[in-house]
Amino acid sequence: MWFHTYTYALFLPIVLALYTALSPGGRRLMLLGASYLFYCWALPWYGLLLVASTLLDYNMGLLMERTHRAGLRRVWLGLSLVGNLGILAAFKYADFFASNAVALTRLFGAEAHWEPLGFILPAGISFYTFQTISYSFQVYRRQYPAEKDLVTFALYVSFFPQLVAGPIERATHLMPQLKSLAAPRLDDIRAGLCRILIGLFRKLVIADRMDIVADGVFGNPDACSAGVAWLGAFSFYAQIYFDFAGYADIAIGSARLFGVRLLENFRRPAMGVNITDWWNRWHMTLTGWFRDYLFNSLGGFKHGQARAVLNAVIVLFLCGLWHGAAWNYIFWGLWNAFLLVTYYALRAGLKRFGHFRRASARLTIGAIGANLFVNVLIAIGAVIFRSPDLATLGAMLRALAGLNGASGFPPYLWGYVAILAAWYLVEFAQEHARLNERAAALPAWLRAAGWALLAVAVTLLAVNLQTPYLYFQF
Amino acid sequence: MKPGAGIALAVFLGLLAGAERLASSALPTAPRAEFAARNPYRFRSWPEYTRLSRPRTNEARIVWISNSQAYAGELPANRIYTDRLERALTDARAGGYQRVDVLNWSFDGVTSIELTLMAARLRQAEPELVVAAIGVADFSSFNLDRRLSGVRTDLPRLVSHPAVWRALPPSFKKRHVNIEDWLTYAASDRVALLRFRDYMWSWLDHRWSGLQMGFYAPAINYHPWRLDRVQRRANLGGPPWRERRPFQVDYTPAARELLAEFLDVFQAIPARAHLVIMTPRFLEEWDPLLAMDRAFQRDLSDLLAERGLLFWDDSQLFGREAFHDGLHFNPDAHRAYTERLMREIPALLPSAPGKQAS
């Protein structure tokens, strides 16, 4: 089930009404049922994988809790990892790795063949497997006790607002909330609905609109001048941000209706002033996951800067692979690794030019320039991410460089430039002029009028497309 | 609830209600079907268009369900053959009626889904004669996989009306309708603000050409509104990447199912007479459409024979000179086709009460 559908608009109030009417125990069970209904709406067999992942980690958690032998705990953790990553590997990566291995074998003259498994990638598999792995790590590290109640644990894995595209939660944050589900409060409902409205605006009005340009440019880059190609690159950057952030808004807003507060996933990424700052603002729950469970496991910063950079490169390579079993995602990860390595190499020199870690610390021309430059680099990364093959990537890079001979910039495309500029200015005002705090200080009736206008804007400005959420495919 | 919260809620709901009211009053009203040669908005604003009043005594009604040939968007409405037919039948006092209305329920790009929906809607009407003038392009196999949301009009709003829903066969519902589509159309049928969006973007596009495709519907998956009175201000250009897709028709044996389904619903219309016409066209021997057209012709003939419905095969009525593109009539052909219809349609009209058919 998608968030931006009438089905969800019907589903959510029904679930909320049932939730209000039930006792705390009943609420958990009902939310679990609702979450499975939500997940299995398109393909019921998806639910079997969810059950398998739930049972595996529930039992591994209990086994880790019961033993004090470090070796045995490692075994249970290993089994959890093998099970979860095995599901992910089978459904997401098997065909990719096998077909590339076959191609490599043929390169050396040997005969090889692979019949693709052709599995349909279950929605959200990358998200919930990471969430269950996070639970296993937290139990293994004694950061959180193993959950004894299967229903609570199953709800932790499948809680519908964040099931298919995050935010990727931690047991320490989500589980206690699920164990004490309270009756809905008016403030939570108001805040939740407002957040959902913001998410719908971001998805239906901005992300889907940017898709028009991104899809057009990436579909036929040879026809595009440099200006149009750059607009296409930035449009895709904006699309993926507003699509995913819009999804996160609706997820956070939906959970809030039930009094559950989910982790934030984005913090004004357009304001990033260097590559590490950008990554600290983008898909924060995934970045945090990689930091805590991979980067730190590889040694983190403990073994010097060179080793830390190497660890970061490995993490970004795997982060690229996490997004999909295709070379463009791997190249995108490597592009980010390259940016990171370059940044670390030049960091000392950049500081002399007023390039600070946080633009908010001191707003200077240098910081704004660095901020814009980072966004250009991220937009180039978006080109790599979006290009389905090397031919498209090559054509896009030629177009960006103005080498394909196309010229012109149709007047209406300035509208898209204005949208991108508005994105930057709004985030700038949020970052530096405390826009959100000022809006929150307005009288209630005026804020209500603003929300009503936003609702009308969503209705009138939504694009006539049925675009699924981009992150559903990851 | 705190008083401030109550006021805020009232402001919120009041503004939404105001916007809905504004949208409702801003949407243009479609002319009544009895007085318009075709729906200028292609069935948008259709409650007025389809709310069929019962004809008065001595008035007959023919409902003409068809495609772009009868919609003839490129011609003034009074030159379309259905409008000419209406005038000719009325002048001739056909069937002894003082007036014969020919309601042109046609539009360009019609699909089997819309044809079936129109037929289901007519289950609540009792026209003297109902005519389906159809061709191979209306029953492309694409429609087998097409959901309601894939059609280009807002006729699917009709599925949220219980009477129409009941008139649709289960196979149609299973193939084309899912919960999301049903909810979408039920909502847009009842909320003017949701319908206003399409209208607003079409209006803007008439003013500043290029806006609609550039900002709203890149792969036009619906018909823009046709708003002849809006003045153009500027052309904002089109996207450099656009590739025009050729007109596609794909009639396969599987598409026969769509045809059979439509004919079942069509036959169930409580009209006093039914007629199915295979529309005139001109296809060259080399045209790949020809083989599909012949298959359609065979299927149509067989299915109509099974159902005992009256069938006119007009597919080869005219030569190349009658068409501007092989499928759509030149103005003179509209006149010629009216004459052909006038020779036989009057005989199909049941006599007016107390009169002999002319």
Side-chain angles (χ1 to χ4, degrees):
Chain A
M1 198 184 294
W2 295 346
F3 280 162
H4 59 300
T5 57
Y6 286 97
T7 314
Y8 188 70
L10 192 66
F11 169 85
L12 190 60
I14 291 173
V15 174
L16 184 61
L18 290 172
Y19 178 88
T20 310
L22 291 169
S23 66
R27 282 176 193 148
R28 245 189 316 279
L29 203 58
M30 187 278 297
L31 280 180
L32 181 63
S35 296
Y36 270 79
L37 176 65
F38 176 88
Y39 190 62
C40 300
W41 190 256
L43 279 177
W45 69 265
Y46 278 2
L48 295 176
L49 282 177
L50 200 56
V51 169
S53 186
T54 302
L55 290 177
L56 173 73
D57 288 291
Y58 174 73
N59 286 302
M60 292 305 114
L62 290 177
L63 289 170
M64 279 190 275
E65 175 95 341
R66 282 174 196 158
T67 182
H68 294 286
R69 291 167 56 193
L72 201 52
R73 288 164 62 78
R74 266 200 295 277
V75 169
W76 301 137
L77 175 67
L79 275 178
S80 165
L81 293 178
V82 167
N84 282 300
L85 296 176
I87 291 174
L88 205 55
F91 281 90
K92 192 165 177 177
Y93 299 107
D95 281 339
F96 173 71
F97 283 122
S99 58
N100 278 285
V102 165
L104 195 66
T105 312
R106 285 183 180 162
L107 208 61
F108 290 102
E111 264 306 307
H113 179 71
W114 168 259
E115 193 64 42
L117 299 172
F119 288 140
I120 299 170
L121 185 67
I125 189 169
S126 307
F127 288 91
Y128 71 72
T129 50
F130 268 39
Q131 186 156 312
T132 52
I133 288 173
S134 148
Y135 167 79
S136 295
F137 265 112
Q138 290 200 312
V139 174
Y140 171 76
R141 291 174 178 174
R142 303 269 192 228
Q143 292 168 335
Y144 191 80
E147 179 52 52
K148 312 285 186 304
D149 180 28
L150 181 58
V151 172
T152 305
F153 181 74
L155 184 57
Y156 164 77
V157 179
S158 65
F159 186 45
F160 72 86
Q162 47 88 231
L163 171 59
V164 285
I168 301 168
E169 281 289 335
R170 306 295 176 90
T172 43
H173 183 253
L174 183 59
M175 205 84 84
Q177 299 187 70
L178 298 180
K179 285 161 89 89
S180 57
L181 291 168
R185 293 187 318 125
L186 208 57
D187 277 354
D188 281 335
I189 291 177
R190 182 188 54 76
L193 291 176
C194 291
R195 193 69 189 262
I196 289 172
L197 196 52
I198 290 173
L200 288 173
F201 183 84
R202 284 173 147 182
K203 164 66 181 161
L204 298 173
V205 177
I206 305 181
D208 288 358
R209 181 152 284 116
M210 302 319 281
D211 179 54
I212 297 174
V213 176
D215 204 44
V217 170
F218 282 88
N220 193 0
D222 289 330
C224 299
S225 64
V228 175
W230 277 106
L231 181 66
F234 273 99
S235 294
F236 180 65
Y237 173 20
Q239 182 197 356
I240 200 157
Y241 167 57
F242 283 103
D243 189 276
F244 197 16
Y247 180 91
D249 285 330
I250 300 174
I252 290 167
S254 300
R256 186 76 185 269
L257 298 178
F258 305 98
V260 175
R261 295 184 184 227
L262 298 180
L263 294 168
E264 290 293 335
N265 231 1
F266 293 90
R267 190 171 45 80
R268 300 184 284 281
M271 292 296 107
V273 289
N274 59 53
I275 189 67
T276 52
D277 185 29
W278 188 86
W279 272 105
N280 283 329
R281 295 162 176 273
W282 181 270
H283 203 171
M284 296 186 296
T285 57
L286 179 70
T287 312
W289 192 99
F290 274 113
R291 184 191 58 230
D292 291 352
Y293 304 122
L294 189 59
F295 183 75
N296 288 345
S297 299
L298 291 170
F301 293 104
K302 286 180 194 164
H303 309 290
Q305 187 161 319
R307 178 66 186 273
V309 168
L310 177 66
N311 291 342
V313 170
I314 294 170
V315 166
L316 285 166
F317 167 79
L318 291 173
C319 180
L321 194 61
W322 176 88
H323 281 83
W327 284 105
N328 55 323
Y329 300 122
I330 294 173
F331 289 147
W332 172 77
L334 292 174
W335 166 253
N336 279 283
F338 166 73
L339 294 181
L340 195 77
V341 171
T342 310
Y343 170 67
Y344 273 101
L346 302 177
R347 191 166 57 165
L350 287 170
K351 274 186 179 172
R352 275 187 235 126
F353 294 97
H355 179 66
F356 293 91
R357 282 189 179 178
R358 298 290 280 270
S360 55
R362 194 171 144 196
L363 192 57
T364 62
I365 296 292
I368 294 172
N371 172 217
L372 293 173
F373 183 61
V374 166
N375 281 305
V376 169
L377 297 176
I378 296 300
I380 294 172
V383 170
I384 300 168
F385 192 93
R386 176 66 169 74
S387 299
D389 48 51
L390 286 176
T392 308
L393 178 59
M396 271 304 291
L397 293 177
R398 277 196 306 278
L400 290 171
L403 297 177
N404 66 1
S407 62
F409 195 86
Y412 84 91
L413 286 180
W414 286 105
Y416 284 94
V417 176
I419 294 172
L420 292 170
W423 168 29
Y424 185 82
L425 291 174
V426 167
E427 291 209 348
F428 192 89
Q430 287 174 327
E431 183 91 359
H432 301 291
R434 298 187 298 120
L435 184 69
N436 292 358
E437 290 89 331
R438 285 169 195 230
L442 292 172
W445 68 268
L446 199 56
R447 276 182 283 138
W451 291 117
L453 289 179
L454 188 65
V456 173
V458 170
T459 310
L460 296 183
L461 301 178
V463 176
N464 187 5
L465 284 173
Q466 293 186 322
T467 317
Y469 285 99
L470 291 176
Y471 264 71
F472 268 33
Q473 61 189 296
F474 299 141
Chain B
M1 187 187 285
K2 294 175 193 167
I7 292 170
L9 186 62
V11 168
F12 180 80
L13 295 176
L15 279 173
L16 287 188
E20 168 67 10
R21 187 78 184 268
L22 270 176
S24 180
S25 57
L27 278 169
T29 310
R32 294 185 70 85
E34 294 92 318
F35 308 115
R38 67 179 162 219
N39 184 331
Y41 310 128
R42 299 183 176 103
F43 272 84
R44 298 231 187 63
S45 293
W46 56 254
E48 278 302 307
Y49 195 64
T50 57
R51 193 180 298 134
L52 297 172
S53 55
R54 294 190 69 79
R56 283 175 291 190
T57 317
N58 284 331
E59 284 187 8
R61 176 166 291 162
I62 300 173
V63 181
W64 206 275
I65 305 175
S66 189
N67 48 31
S68 52
Q69 197 172 71
Y71 185 77
E74 68 283 1
L75 287 181
N78 64 356
R79 296 175 76 178
I80 307 170
Y81 72 80
T82 50
D83 202 53
R84 289 173 181 277
L85 179 66
E86 180 178 273
R87 291 195 298 271
L89 288 168
T90 301
D91 290 349
R93 297 259 174 147
Y97 295 97
Q98 284 185 332
R99 177 181 162 83
V100 179
D101 275 334
V102 179
L103 308 186
N104 184 4
W105 279 23
S106 312
F107 55 90
D108 40 355
V110 73
T111 65
S112 59
I113 297 174
E114 286 144 317
L115 289 167
T116 308
L117 282 169
M118 286 192 276
R121 164 68 182 85
L122 285 171
R123 188 74 68 87
Q124 300 155 66
E126 292 175 8
E128 274 63 36
L129 173 64
V130 60
V131 181
I134 52 180
V136 62
D138 311 332
F139 288 87
S140 273
S141 312
F142 312 131
N143 296 321
L144 285 164
D145 302 321
R146 203 188 289 257
R147 280 173 32 189
L148 277 189
S149 53
V151 304
R152 301 167 73 191
T153 63
D154 67 350
L155 266 175
R157 285 164 55 193
L158 283 168
V159 295
S160 68
H161 293 216
V164 174
W165 180 253
R166 283 194 300 272
L168 289 167
S171 56
F172 178 95
K173 295 172 189 169
K174 191 176 172 190
R175 191 185 312 111
H176 300 299
V177 189
N178 65 12
I179 292 176
E180 178 59 22
D181 284 352
W182 192 93
L183 289 171
T184 302
Y185 286 110
S188 66
D189 191 50
R190 287 151 184 85
V191 181
L193 205 51
L194 294 170
R195 300 195 300 276
F196 184 75
R197 186 179 59 192
D198 267 359
Y199 170 71
M200 181 188 83
W201 282 100
S202 286
W203 188 92
L204 289 170
D205 194 65
H206 276 72
R207 276 278 163 126
W208 296 281
S209 178
L211 266 182
Q212 192 165 37
M213 194 170 276
F215 285 94
Y216 177 57
I220 291 281
N221 51 357
Y222 73 102
H223 281 297
W225 286 66
R226 187 185 169 120
L227 304 166
D228 295 333
R229 292 182 186 172
V230 181
Q231 292 291 316
R232 174 151 302 173
R233 291 281 170 85
N235 186 344
L236 300 180
W241 53 78
R242 194 162 84 204
E243 292 173 33
R244 287 197 177 278
R245 289 187 186 160
F247 175 64
Q248 283 189 318
V249 177
D250 178 32
Y251 186 81
T252 63
R256 179 186 165 105
E257 186 186 332
L258 299 170
L259 187 56
E261 192 175 77
F262 164 69
L263 292 175
D264 286 340
V265 182
F266 177 77
Q267 190 172 22
I269 298 171
R272 294 171 72 181
H274 300 75
L275 167 65
V276 177
I277 300 174
M278 182 163 168
T279 49
R281 87 288 183 278
F282 180 79
L283 296 169
E284 302 282 2
E285 283 301 317
W286 49 262
D287 194 325
L289 185 56
L290 191 62
M292 287 188 266
D293 190 73
R294 285 180 177 152
F296 174 78
Q297 195 175 26
R298 275 194 305 276
D299 285 347
L300 185 59
S301 175
D302 293 349
L303 290 167
L304 289 170
E306 284 169 18
R307 287 162 178 75
L309 284 166
L310 183 60
F311 175 42
W312 293 354
D313 183 355
D314 285 353
S315 57
Q316 295 178 65
L317 193 66
F318 297 129
R320 181 204 304 263
E321 68 289 348
F323 301 90
H324 61 79
D325 61 359
L327 295 174
H328 301 100
F329 287 151
N330 288 322
D332 285 347
H334 278 277
R335 186 183 301 119
Y337 197 52
T338 309
E339 288 164 10
R340 177 265 186 278
L341 295 172
M342 269 307 285
R343 283 195 292 274
E344 299 191 54
I345 290 279
L348 298 178
L349 280 176
S351 305
K355 300 271 177 140
Q356 284 291 320
S358 58

